[in-house]
């Protein structure tokens, strides 16, 4: 049997997230979170959740879904991953669109890489429609006398500021 409950608090112990949840009008239980692989999401306090119990045993209770008031803007075949602040407002989003583009939204984008990062692209633009392009080994540039110049690997470091 499935039921609706309200998430009161959360705790992570031994790589498992537990929710203290209020079921029906007064029953309070601790339930395990179950999600799809590669998914780590902690819903806000007081979120309405969907869960259940194996053999009606609260010791084997689980929560696997929750409802939020976020605008649903993903079109068929798309996936949007987002985070919200304590008021439920979306503050960062990664939108995988069905045309092959990926939109990253937020007030700040930081990419942390523990190893090397490689970007293979025909061009890289660091400033939108009027931004400056970054030169790569495949770029063609001309000198002051209209002669082609060659950019060789590891001869120049580019830093955007």
């Amino acid at each position: 049997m499935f039921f609706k409950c309200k998430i009161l608090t959360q705790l992570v112990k031994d790589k498992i997230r537990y929710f203290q949840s209020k079921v029906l009008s007064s029953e309070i239980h601790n339930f395990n979170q179950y999600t799809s692989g590669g998914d780590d999401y902690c819903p806000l306090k007081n979120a309405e959740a969907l869960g259940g119990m194996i053999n009606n045993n609260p010791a084997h209770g689980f929560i696997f879904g929750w409802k939020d008031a976020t605008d649903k803007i993903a079109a068929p075949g798309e996936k949007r991953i987002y985070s919200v602040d304590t008021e439920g407002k979306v503050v960062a989003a990664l939108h995988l669109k069905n045309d092959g583009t990926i939109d990253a939204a937020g007030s700040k984008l930081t990419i942390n890489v523990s190893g090397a990062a490689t970007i293979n692209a025909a061009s890289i633009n660091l400033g939108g429609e009027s931004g400056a392009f970054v030169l790569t080994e495949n770029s063609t540039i001309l000198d002051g006398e209209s002669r082609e110049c060659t950019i060789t690997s590891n001869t120049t470091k580019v830093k955007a500021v």
Side-chain angles (χ1 to χ4, degrees):
M1 170 174 79
F2 296 114
F3 51 79
K4 285 190 210 178
C5 61
K6 183 180 279 192
I7 294 173
L8 302 176
T9 60
Q10 62 87 17
L11 165 74
V12 176
K13 183 179 177 190
D14 298 328
K15 299 181 183 181
I16 297 172
R17 182 174 283 124
Y18 298 91
F19 296 112
Q20 183 183 58
S21 304
K22 186 175 186 180
V23 181
L24 303 173
S25 61
S26 61
E27 295 178 34
I28 296 178
H29 299 286
N30 293 319
F31 296 133
N32 291 345
Q33 177 185 30
Y34 281 80
T35 64
S36 60
D39 187 12
D40 180 14
Y41 180 72
C42 185
L44 297 175
K45 184 177 177 179
N46 294 319
E48 184 177 297
L50 185 61
M53 292 182 229
I54 299 171
N55 294 326
N56 289 326
N57 183 345
H60 299 292
F62 56 88
I63 290 179
F64 62 90
W66 32 85
K67 184 168 42 170
D68 65 25
T70 305
D71 290 337
K72 308 302 184 229
I73 63 172
E78 295 183 348
K79 180 164 183 108
R80 185 170 68 118
I81 303 164
Y82 57 87
S83 62
V84 296
D85 62 15
T86 56
E87 307 297 318
K89 178 184 171 206
V90 174
V91 292
L94 189 62
H95 191 162
L96 311 176
K97 295 190 167 190
N98 60 18
D99 64 359
T101 59
I102 300 172
D103 283 349
S107 61
K108 179 174 137 181
L109 177 63
T110 301
I111 300 172
N112 296 311
V113 180
S114 60
T118 301
I119 299 174
N120 294 317
S123 65
I124 300 170
N125 183 329
L126 296 178
E129 290 182 27
S130 62
F133 285 94
V134 175
L135 301 176
T136 68
E137 290 179 44
N138 299 323
S139 300
T140 301
I141 59 172
L142 303 177
D143 67 10
E145 297 177 9
S146 297
R147 296 179 296 205
E148 283 192 14
C149 299
T150 303
I151 299 172
T152 56
S153 179
N154 296 322
T155 57
T156 307
K157 292 186 177 183
V158 178
K159 180 178 180 182
V161 289

